Each structure stands twice: as structure tokens, then as C-alpha cells.
Amino acid sequence: MKTYSFAFIATLIAVFFITGCKKDGANKDDGYKCTTCVAAPEALAANNSSSKGIYKGLVIGSTGTIKFDIQNGGSTITATLVIDGTTVALTSSVSWVSGQPYVAPFTGTLNGQSVSIGFSVSANGASPSVTASNIPGHPNAQFAIIKENSNALIECFEGTYTTSDSEAGTFNVLLSRTLGLWEGINRENGDPEVNSMDGTLSNGKIMITTDNGLSEIGSLANDEMNGKFKDDNGVTIQFKGKRTL
């Protein structure tokens, strides 16, 4: 899959992908909606410039999402990993310290085997990342993580793509409708390399920046994405996906 410039935007929020919804002619609001997903930011305003708060992310290595809760609204430090539809509860015994970066392993169990995911974020909540992972059955899992702020909900979408030259793979996206930004990560089936692309959202349109300016590649409506475009080599790429977090 052809990639474009990869850029995490600003220190707190860099956003990712979108969806275009199938609509019923009788009611243009019909379409897929994630009934388990929140409609407003979970992050508290008091944590916007702190390592406390909510961090959301994507997983590729199969497919999934992850959410870290670093004492967002209480004293607990937890994470929830969902990979290939299986939910894994994770906890950390490392205490949070005001004014300090938070670096800790999160552990849990998947199918009776131990899971470990290392998490790191700076003292002001910038540059969150997964530093290492050990997930049974998913040895090459890779992550994209972003901090959610109180004024901008972060949404996670899981999807797939195919190309006109017979390539197929996973295409997962993080996005903020409020900020009008998205960023996606993709990986061809059977290939360990992860690629990325990013852009903007405008009135339900998924846009990327090319040498010729903004170009529309797909659409977002409700909680479903669809798109089709050609890359720099003339290969047609088609993608689709749904919000899962």
C-alpha cells in the first residue's frame, strides 16, 4: 500500500482515520453505529497537560485496540486490550508520581498465558508509546497510541484494504472529528512492515495532502468508513472499516 507523509500532529493530539456509512434512502441518518463506543471524551480536563488521563491506540499484528487509563478519574491504573475480538484486562503496579513521566509494564492473561505491554508517556502527557509487548500468538504486534483530551474525543476504527495489484491487508485508523484530523496504519497480510498515512476530515470527507494539494480518498458517516483512490503508482486502493473504540 502506497504511503504518504507520516506526522503525529502536535504534542497531545495527532489523529487518525475515518469511515463512510451506507445510507438508507428513506433516512440519511441510518447506518452502522458502534453501540459500545462512547459519544464524548472520557478524559478529564484536569489531566489534559498531565501524564494522567486516557490514552487510546490501535494494534496491528492481527488487529485490535488498546486503552490506557492512568488515574483519569480515580486512583486505578488499568488498560484494556482487545485483539482479534478477545478482551484482555491489564493492570500495572507502578505508582503515578506528579510531575514525572509514567513508564510501566501492564500485565494480564490471554488464553491462560501471560501478556505484558510496556507503556511510556512524558510528564505532560506528550509522546505516549508502547515500548515493548509480549502477546501470545501475536509476536509482531505493533501499536499507535494517542492521548485523548477533554475537548476532543479520539475514536478507533478497524478495517481492511485491497489493491488492484492483488495486495490485501489491515487498515486501522485513529481520528478526531472535533479536530478534523486522522491517521491510519496499515500492514499487508503476511508482511511484518507497518506503513502509515494521515490527513484531514472535512464534512465527512477523508482527505490526504498530495503534491497537488488536498485530495479526497473516502468518506466518514456515523461509525463506518469506505474509500477508493489511486496511489502515486496508479494502483487503486479500496478500504473499509468500522469504529470499535
Side-chain angles (χ1 to χ4, degrees), residues 1 19 32 35 44 57 86 96 112 136 148 152 163 167 191 210 243:
M1 188 174 189
T19 68
Y32 174 76
T35 59
L44 301 181
T86 299
W96 178 83
E148 181 176 272
T163 72
E167 183 179 325
D191 188 339
T210 68
R243 184 184 175 195

Side-chain angles (χ1 to χ4, degrees), residues 54-67:
I54 297 293
Y55 299 84
K56 295 179 179 178
L58 302 170
V59 185
I60 281 189
S62 295
T63 184
T65 62
I66 192 166
K67 182 175 75 172

Side-chain angles (χ1 to χ4, degrees), residues 141-181:
Q142 298 190 45
F143 298 76
I145 308 293
I146 190 169
K147 181 179 175 70
E148 181 176 272
N149 275 14
S150 61
N151 60 351
L153 175 68
I154 299 299
E155 303 174 41
C156 301
F157 289 76
E158 294 180 72
T160 58
Y161 76 90
T162 57
T163 72
S164 57
D165 60 357
S166 301
E167 183 179 325
T170 301
F171 190 17
N172 292 346
V173 171
L174 291 169
L175 69 87
S176 170
R177 302 181 205 231
T178 300
L179 298 174
L181 299 169

Side-chain angles (χ1 to χ4, degrees), residues 40-215:
E42 298 170 89
L44 301 181
N47 300 326
N48 283 350
S49 298
S50 166
S51 54
K52 281 186 177 182
I54 297 293
Y55 299 84
K56 295 179 179 178
L58 302 170
V59 185
I60 281 189
S62 295
T63 184
T65 62
I66 192 166
K67 182 175 75 172
F68 295 91
D69 182 336
I70 312 299
Q71 292 187 356
N72 181 60
S75 59
T76 59
I77 297 176
T78 62
T80 302
L81 169 70
V82 180
I83 190 160
D84 286 352
T86 299
T87 300
V88 182
L90 304 167
T91 59
S92 178
S93 60
V94 177
S95 299
W96 178 83
V97 179
S98 179
Q100 297 295 317
Y102 187 75
V103 181
F106 284 73
T107 58
T109 303
L110 173 62
N111 298 326
Q113 295 181 281
S114 297
V115 174
S116 178
I117 296 177
F119 176 75
S120 174
V121 64
S122 64
N124 65 356
S127 304
S129 66
V130 167
T131 57
S133 69
N134 180 13
I135 307 172
H138 307 277
N140 298 313
Q142 298 190 45
F143 298 76
I145 308 293
I146 190 169
K147 181 179 175 70
E148 181 176 272
N149 275 14
S150 61
N151 60 351
L153 175 68
I154 299 299
E155 303 174 41
C156 301
F157 289 76
E158 294 180 72
T160 58
Y161 76 90
T162 57
T163 72
S164 57
D165 60 357
S166 301
E167 183 179 325
T170 301
F171 190 17
N172 292 346
V173 171
L174 291 169
L175 69 87
S176 170
R177 302 181 205 231
T178 300
L179 298 174
L181 299 169
W182 67 266
E183 188 162 344
I185 55 175
N186 61 80
R187 182 157 77 179
E188 182 182 1
N189 294 336
D191 188 339
E193 181 180 358
V194 172
N195 298 308
S196 59
M197 59 192 300
D198 59 30
T200 61
L201 302 174
S202 177
N203 296 319
K205 297 178 180 179
I206 303 166
M207 314 289 288
I208 59 172
T209 301
T210 68
D211 292 339
N212 298 318
L214 287 175
S215 177

Side-chain angles (χ1 to χ4, degrees), residues 221-238:
N222 290 324
D223 292 331
E224 189 174 6
M225 64 181 180
N226 288 286
K228 187 176 182 180
F229 65 100
K230 288 187 177 182
D231 69 11
D232 292 344
N233 297 318
V235 175
T236 299
I237 299 168
Q238 192 162 0

